[in-house]
Amino acid sequence: MTQRLRLNKNADRRLKAGHLWIYSNEVDIKETPLKNFAAGEPALVEASNGKTLGVAYINPHSLICGRVMSRDPEMRLDRSLFVHRFNQALALRERLFDKPFYRLIHGEGDLLPGLVIDRFGDVLVVQLNTAGMQALAEDIVDALEKVVKPNAIVFRNDTGGRRQEGLEAHVEVVKGTLPDEVLLEENGVTFAVPVLNGQKTGWFYDHRVNRAWLNSQVAGKRVLDVFSYVGGWGVQAAASGASEVLCVDASASALDQVARNAELNGVQEQVAVAEGDAFEALAALKADGEQFDVVILDPPAFIKKRKDIPNGERAYARLNREAMRLLGRDGLLLSASCSMHLAPERLVDVVRGAVRHQDRHGQVIFQGHQGPDHPVHPAIPETSYLKALGVRVFRD
């Protein structure tokens, strides 16, 4: 018998508007105590008047204590639901892309809160970020085998979100055998991806469209790629005709992968790497009198929580100022942020402040967003997180 979770009066408004999250302070704990639920347990969610709103899975230990999986109270959280949702998601990706390299499942954006799956051809990398998804792991694998029929499935269960859900971190190949090198193609460029030990799933598909735009701007240019990771921006720039690319990252293993990816595309002569802290590297390049036509800033999230906003905004401001000092008289800055808590207009403010600090002029000529395989749920602002600005920076 499925337990019921009753909400406080008026706490159903967000759900009725389409949102999928239930906060612990919205639950009528006199009527339905949260302590009666096991982590990951399914529940019928009902309004304060007893009207059923749908099926969610519950984690009594989390601030977001419930995530709605279906509006249909008869829906069971099992393999058949995943088969249905995976087919819906796959249909969209096959409409968008002609090759099997994309984010297949983007959590709430694909009505599967807590689940992320990236596809690298016949290899799927899965992140189970919540107790509810962890409880359904076997059904997820079975459904993927039915819908996608991959050669290998990897669980990258080492995200920060899992710690908040009280889950252990582990990385394992749960089906099949990984090839020696997992490859993907993006914007016509081939990459080898460290799916077992790289960042997140090993790759960031969300910037695909933004990289495609930048690729059209770099022919014959000298390019600096800061926070380069495995060279998503820099190697594509070289493959698109950049005369010289310098990739800077704090991770030696990521830079080894940059070199490998440059080699895969025959651009190893154009691509150099430098290991180090981004801020220190920018200062050192300035001290050495270096100058670039294009600088790419794609940092990790400086703002992870709302309370980080002031410090995070200062870090973005400093980073953009330091980067602009390395641009020539008429340069191009690509400034990105994956911090959901940094509003798009605030990134424009950061760039404007940095431009004025250098006593230059700025023109925003491109405003980018996450790619369409990272669909935004219109009721959940948190699913829209990525920003990218292409800014011409010049002197009179």
Side-chain angles (χ1 to χ4, degrees), residues 22 69 73-74 93 101 135 211 231 240 269 294 297 308 321:
I22 301 163
M69 290 281 280
E74 301 299 314
R93 276 66 179 181
F101 307 110
R211 291 189 189 116
S240 301
E269 297 301 315
V294 179
L297 299 177
D308 301 333
R321 283 199 306 270

Side-chain angles (χ1 to χ4, degrees), residues 11-333:
D12 57 354
R13 283 179 180 164
R14 269 182 320 101
L15 295 189
K16 284 180 173 171
H19 212 296
L20 303 178
W21 296 353
I22 301 163
Y23 289 95
S24 52
N25 63 358
E26 295 173 324
V27 177
D28 181 347
I29 52 173
K30 283 201 180 87
E31 196 67 36
T32 55
L34 276 169
K35 67 176 190 295
N36 290 355
F37 292 89
E41 182 180 343
L44 286 169
V45 181
E46 56 182 40
S48 58
N49 62 4
K51 182 174 187 275
T52 304
L53 301 170
V55 186
Y57 61 73
I58 309 301
N59 186 346
H61 314 299
S62 177
L63 175 65
I64 302 172
C65 69
R67 298 176 199 249
V68 175
M69 290 281 280
S70 176
R71 304 280 166 182
D72 178 359
E74 301 299 314
M75 183 65 75
R76 294 171 60 85
L77 306 191
D78 61 13
R79 175 180 177 272
S80 62
L81 172 60
F82 285 108
V83 167
H84 174 59
R85 291 279 158 81
F86 291 165
N87 275 318
Q88 285 178 320
L90 184 62
L92 173 64
R93 276 66 179 181
E94 290 183 337
R95 206 158 74 209
L96 294 168
F97 307 111
D98 59 358
K99 292 187 176 168
F101 307 110
Y102 40 69
R103 173 150 294 184
L104 175 62
I105 298 295
H106 183 56
E108 283 79 355
D110 286 295
L111 306 181
L112 288 170
L115 181 64
V116 169
I117 304 175
D118 279 349
R119 183 174 188 183
F120 306 103
D122 291 325
V123 175
L124 298 177
V125 181
V126 178
Q127 292 180 315
L128 308 170
N129 293 322
T130 56
M133 285 300 173
Q134 181 65 57
L136 295 162
E138 282 184 29
D139 288 326
I140 289 166
V141 170
D142 288 351
L144 286 173
E145 293 198 86
K146 180 172 171 60
V147 175
V148 185
K149 303 177 185 66
N151 290 342
I153 298 175
V154 177
F155 277 1
R156 276 300 299 268
N157 289 336
D158 53 355
T159 62
R162 281 179 67 88
R163 284 195 295 278
Q164 291 167 9
E165 289 271 315
L167 298 169
E168 288 181 5
H170 63 101
V171 176
E172 61 178 317
V173 180
V174 292
K175 178 195 182 290
T177 308
L178 277 182
D180 292 340
E181 241 179 3
V182 177
L183 299 177
L184 71 92
E185 187 184 307
E186 183 181 284
N187 298 326
V189 182
T190 301
F191 290 89
V193 190
V195 296
L196 291 177
N197 53 15
Q199 294 178 24
K200 303 292 175 90
T201 64
W203 183 254
F204 297 90
Y205 280 123
D206 49 5
H207 269 305
R208 178 195 324 246
V209 178
N210 306 326
R211 291 189 189 116
W213 176 79
L214 190 73
N215 293 346
S216 70
Q217 304 296 312
V218 297
K221 307 286 192 201
R222 188 166 195 243
V223 176
L224 173 64
D225 179 7
V226 189
F227 304 100
S228 71
Y229 184 43
V230 298
W233 294 92
V235 173
Q236 283 191 42
S240 301
S243 59
E244 209 178 313
V245 176
L246 176 62
C247 289
V248 174
D249 200 272
S251 162
S253 61
L255 293 175
D256 288 344
Q257 204 77 41
V258 170
R260 172 63 184 141
N261 287 328
E263 185 190 333
L264 276 172
N265 293 281
V267 293
Q268 58 269 42
E269 297 301 315
Q270 290 102 289
V271 178
V273 300
E275 184 186 342
D277 170 82
F279 290 97
E280 291 171 9
L282 290 170
L285 288 165
K286 181 65 182 170
D288 290 344
E290 296 286 357
Q291 208 169 75
F292 297 86
D293 304 302
V294 179
V295 176
I296 301 154
L297 299 177
D298 184 15
F302 288 157
I303 306 173
K304 288 197 163 63
K305 297 189 174 75
R306 209 176 287 277
K307 67 177 175 59
D308 301 333
I309 289 175
N311 285 341
E313 288 191 354
R314 280 194 288 275
Y316 283 115
R318 182 180 160 215
L319 182 66
N320 280 268
R321 283 199 306 270
E322 294 299 311
M324 278 183 200
R325 295 170 67 208
L326 293 168
L327 285 171
R329 288 191 67 81
D330 190 351
L332 179 64
L333 176 73

